[in-house]
Every structure is written in C-alpha cells, then in structure tokens.
C-alpha cells in the first residue's frame, strides 16, 4: 500500500489531519488499532477553543457542532464561597469556546472520511515506523490477521504517548511533571447546575462543573492519585461536590443518576523535538497537559494544522522551510499551553502538605484575577486559545 501521508491513530488529531489533507488535494491513509465503536465512545476532552472551532468549520466538519454544541462566553471561578465570572468576549475581542465532546468530533470526522476521504482502516495495529530518516518511511501494521506495509512520503504519529511513533524517534529530550493527585470524573444524567463551567478552589480540593449537553453533566473532584473510583459511592461523590461548590448565595447543585465514573491522572509532558526525518509527532505522542486548562485536544489540532499548512506549502512551492520549522513552530504553542495548564492547576488544587502561607498565596492569586482586568485578560486569552502556526 502506498500513500503520501501515513497517519497513525484515528483520534481527533489523525482524523482532522486526514480531512485537512483531503481538502488540500493530498492523499493519506489512516491506521487505527481500535474498532470504530471504541473510537466513537472514547470519553476525553469537551472544550474547543475558538481556533479549533474555526478550523472545524473551515474543514467542513462544523455543521453538527454548530447545531448541537454549546457556545460558552466565560467561566466562573469560585473561591472562599465567592463567585467571579470571567467574560471571554469582553476581554478578548469577541472570542469564546465551544462545549462539544471529543466523541462527537470524532463521529463527524469519521463520517466525512469514510464518505469523501482516503482509506481509514480500523483494527489496523501499527507495529513499527521504519526508515523515518529516509525519503521513503514505512509503517508496518497488522490488519485482518495479516501483516502489511504502508509506504509513505511522510508519517504523522497521532497514536498517543505510548504509541510506536514516538518510539521511532531515536533521540530527543523529555520534560515531565507528575502530580500527586488526579480527577475523579463522573457523567450524570442531570441538567448542568450552571450554564458555564465552574472552577472551584476549596480547602478540601479542587472541583469542576462541566457538561456534555443540556441534559448531561460532567463533574470532577480532586482526589489522591491512587484513588479507586469504585471506592466512592454515588452519594459520597455528590456530597463532596456540594461541599466544594458551596457559596454564600442560594446556588444549589442538581443531582442525578451517574452513568460513568473514573479517575484521570494528572501529568505534564513534552518531547523535543517533535520531528525525526519524515516522521512527525502530533498530539499526545509529543505532549500531555493536565486537563485543568482544557488544552489537550486543542494542542493536537494546532499540531496537525501546522503540518497540513507546511505540506501544502511544500506542494505549492517545493520549499521544505515550513516542514523544517514544524517542531519549533508547534513547541512555541505547546509550552505556552503547558505554562497555562500548570498555572491553572497550581492555582486551584490543594497541594498535599501545602503550608498556610501557600494557601494564602493561592487566594491572593485568585483575588488578583478577580480585581485586575489585566490579570483576567491574560487568563481569558489563554483559555480561548493561542494562535495556531
């Protein structure tokens, strides 16, 4: 099998890249180790930055998102029983975010790819990337019980932090931080208790109120990293959420039946460079952020937009300049997102063993955001998204 771009992984990054390349007249093949049903139900991110929304629309993948997604013009910070709303459009010149689950993004892109795009092979396990340093890289993969080879001009690894793409980069440097806490996340069949996301700092730990739709709530509790989700009863989860979201007004938390609960670890990770020869890393294959800043999916989108533009530029001009700059271009955005995600995490979470001095510093930082337009603008600009490319 032969193609211009071999894409490993059919998450949002790989699927969007295939769509962008198709629209640019560049052929690709997507290899995904899981079946279609798994990809379409894999719960991950739910917040799309303004730039991601714009890219999906321009790619022809925004129709259902615009119909069913929830535009959010701000978030609420909650601390010391107080509430402070950050107004995104007022602070950023009109930018906002969209609540639209990664599962739905994948469904839309899969449907487009199967209808209009190149081959998308499910249950096709990539075994190795070979010859990345040559002009003819290859991906060995297993599909329908037999091994095959995909010969490419370029390979883009969108196969996550433990995939074969990153393993094929012979050298490089990694930067990592593991946090001593995680998020106990739930999905609940109940209307959200607030019309925008609520980020709550509480002495017992962080809590986040989010949603997947007008009738489905997504909520999180900070818990120790080794927590077993099944060790929490539904009632205990709701009780703890209620404590951490408490305010001095008459706001109340709606409760409903839980349909899912799991613990998400918290980790920051960057691999440099994001390229070796004709192998390019994108998304979680190159970087991971704690979910506090809602950056993971959006960073992956930035990576594939950068690659697609660079390859289209080479096709049009014959110049490799943008491809050669891929890693440096992406990493500028990646490190800003890492910085913002770290800032949000340390701002809102209760660190084990924190001193009273450190607790007061957290509150001082939140007070600064609530009282300074400049500090508030910095948060709003970062949350709604850094420039792509």
């Amino acid at each position: 099998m032969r193609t211009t771009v071999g894409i490993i992984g059919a998450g949002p990054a790989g699927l969007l890249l295939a769509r962008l390349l198709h629209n640019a007249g560049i052929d690709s093949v997507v290899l995904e180790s899981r079946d279609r049903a798994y990809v379409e139900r894999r719960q991950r991110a739910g917040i799309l930055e303004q730039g991601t929304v714009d890219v999906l629309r321009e790619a022809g993948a925004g129709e259902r998102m615009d119909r069913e997604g929830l535009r959010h013009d701000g978030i609420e910070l909650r601390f010391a029983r107080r509430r402070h709303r950050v107004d995104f459009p007022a602070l950023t010149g009109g930018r906002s975010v969209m609540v639209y689950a990664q599962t739905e993004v994948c469904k839309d892109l899969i449907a487009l790819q199967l209808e209009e795009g190149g081959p998308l092979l499910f249950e096709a396990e990539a075994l190795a990337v070979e010859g990345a340093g040559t002009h003819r890289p290859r991906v060995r993969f297993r599909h329908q019980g037999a091994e095959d080879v995909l010969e490419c001009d370029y390979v883009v690894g969108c196969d996550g932090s433990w995939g074969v793409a990153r393993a094929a980069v012979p050298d490089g440097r990694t930067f990592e931080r593991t946090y001593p806490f995680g998020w106990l996340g739930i999905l609940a069949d109940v209307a959200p208790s607030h019309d925008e996301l609520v980020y709550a700092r509480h002495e017992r730990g962080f809590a986040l109120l989010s949603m997947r739709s007008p009738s489905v709530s997504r909520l999180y509790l900070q818990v120790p990293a080794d927590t077993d989700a099944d060790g929490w009863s539904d009632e205990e989860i709701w009780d703890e959420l209620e404590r951490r979201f408490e305010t001095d007004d008459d706001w109340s938390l709606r409760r409903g039946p839980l349909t899912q609960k799991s613990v998400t670890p918290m980790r920051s990770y960057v691999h440099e460079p994001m390229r070796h020869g004709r192998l390019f890393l994108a998304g979680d294959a190159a970087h991971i952020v704690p979910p506090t800043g809602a950056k993971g999916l959006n960073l992956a989108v930035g990576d594939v937009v950068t690659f697609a533009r660079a390859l289209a530029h080479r096709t049009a001009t014959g110049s490799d300049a943008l491809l050669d700059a891929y890693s440096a271009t992406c990493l500028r955005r990646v490190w800003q997102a890492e910085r913002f995600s770290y800032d949000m995490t340390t701002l809102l979470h209760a660190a084990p063993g924190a001193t009273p001095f450190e607790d007061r510093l957290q509150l001082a930082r939140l007070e600064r955001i609530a009282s300074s337009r400049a500090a508030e603008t910095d948060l709003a600009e970062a949350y709604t998204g850094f420039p792509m490319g």
Side-chain angles (χ1 to χ4, degrees):
M1 189 181 295
R2 176 101 178 86
T3 190
T4 301
V5 181
I7 302 170
I8 308 173
L15 292 167
L16 177 59
L17 176 57
R19 180 67 183 175
L20 296 173
L21 294 174
H22 169 77
N23 289 348
I26 300 169
D27 61 293
S28 68
V29 173
V30 183
L31 305 176
E32 169 56 49
S33 62
R34 304 282 193 162
D35 62 25
R36 179 177 180 179
Y38 179 90
V39 174
E40 292 187 338
R41 68 172 182 266
R42 182 168 44 194
Q43 291 290 339
R44 291 292 188 273
I47 305 297
L48 308 183
E49 295 174 354
Q50 181 71 64
T52 296
V53 170
D54 294 342
V55 166
L56 289 170
R57 287 172 178 156
E58 292 166 8
E63 180 182 351
R64 193 164 70 93
M65 173 190 70
D66 284 329
R67 187 173 66 250
E68 300 179 12
L70 306 173
R71 173 180 162 140
H72 280 200
D73 287 336
I75 58 171
E76 182 174 290
L77 299 177
R78 196 168 291 191
F79 60 99
R81 302 177 67 92
R82 293 170 48 198
R83 304 168 64 181
H84 175 78
R85 181 175 184 266
V86 179
D87 185 332
F88 293 156
L91 296 163
T92 64
R95 295 169 68 83
S96 63
V97 297
M98 183 80 75
V99 175
Y100 191 62
Q102 174 175 311
T103 50
E104 306 311 306
V105 174
C106 287
K107 288 174 187 175
D108 296 342
L109 291 169
I110 286 170
L112 285 169
Q113 185 70 8
L114 293 177
E115 180 181 350
E116 303 175 6
L120 166 54
L121 305 182
F122 291 104
E123 299 180 86
E125 180 187 7
L127 303 174
V129 178
E130 300 171 342
T134 73
H135 291 291
R136 289 290 184 269
R138 300 152 41 102
V139 182
R140 283 196 300 108
F141 68 99
R142 184 183 296 111
H143 186 233
Q144 297 180 338
E147 282 198 23
D148 203 345
V149 173
L150 177 63
E151 297 183 348
C152 320
D153 292 333
Y154 305 91
V155 175
V156 181
C158 306
D159 52 341
S161 57
W162 305 110
V164 300
R166 198 173 76 191
V169 178
D171 50 26
R173 188 176 180 188
T174 59
F175 303 84
E176 186 170 12
R177 179 185 178 92
T178 301
Y179 298 85
F181 42 75
W183 280 8
L184 172 60
I186 63 168
L187 276 176
D189 284 337
V190 62
S193 302
H194 193 56
D195 56 1
E196 294 177 335
L197 272 68
V198 177
Y199 288 77
R201 185 266 183 199
H202 193 275
E203 57 265 23
R204 295 175 63 91
F206 169 74
L208 172 63
L209 186 157
S210 183
M211 64 280 298
R212 285 294 178 263
S213 74
S215 61
V216 177
S217 292
R218 182 73 159 153
L219 301 107
Y220 299 91
L221 284 170
Q222 176 188 346
V223 294
D226 58 356
T227 296
D228 179 2
D230 292 330
W232 285 70
S233 70
D234 294 3
E235 185 176 3
E236 287 173 330
I237 291 172
W238 286 118
D239 287 347
E240 188 62 24
L241 285 165
E242 201 162 72
R243 276 190 288 266
R244 298 190 192 182
F245 285 125
E246 62 187 357
T247 63
D248 283 332
D249 59 16
D250 60 355
W251 182 90
S252 62
L253 179 68
R254 298 188 184 113
R255 300 189 180 206
L258 272 57
T259 59
Q260 184 187 103
K261 59 182 175 181
S262 61
V263 174
T264 301
M266 304 284 281
R267 182 181 175 217
S268 299
Y269 178 93
V270 180
H271 182 281
E272 297 185 6
M274 291 174 55
R275 176 194 180 184
H276 170 63
R278 293 202 168 196
L279 168 63
F280 297 77
L281 304 179
D284 285 0
H287 42 73
I288 293 170
V289 289
T292 327
K295 290 288 166 243
L297 182 154
N298 297 291
L299 275 184
V301 168
D303 294 344
V304 299
V305 166
T306 300
F307 177 82
R309 288 174 179 169
L311 188 55
H313 178 76
R314 188 196 187 284
T315 301
T317 68
S319 170
D320 284 327
L322 296 186
L323 285 170
D324 290 341
Y326 170 81
S327 183
T329 301
C330 290
L331 285 169
R332 282 194 295 272
R333 189 169 189 266
V334 167
W335 277 112
Q336 286 301 317
E338 292 282 356
R339 186 270 307 169
F340 175 68
S341 299
Y342 174 82
D343 285 351
M344 288 287 283
T345 301
T346 57
L347 174 70
L348 295 162
H349 289 74
T355 65
F357 178 83
E358 291 166 322
D359 290 340
R360 288 301 183 113
L361 283 181
Q362 274 189 324
L363 290 171
R365 291 167 65 191
L366 285 160
E367 291 280 5
R368 175 65 177 168
I369 293 168
S371 61
S372 164
R373 185 176 179 88
E376 197 178 24
T377 299
D378 184 61
L379 188 156
E381 288 179 344
Y383 198 99
T384 55
F386 301 105
M388 294 189 185

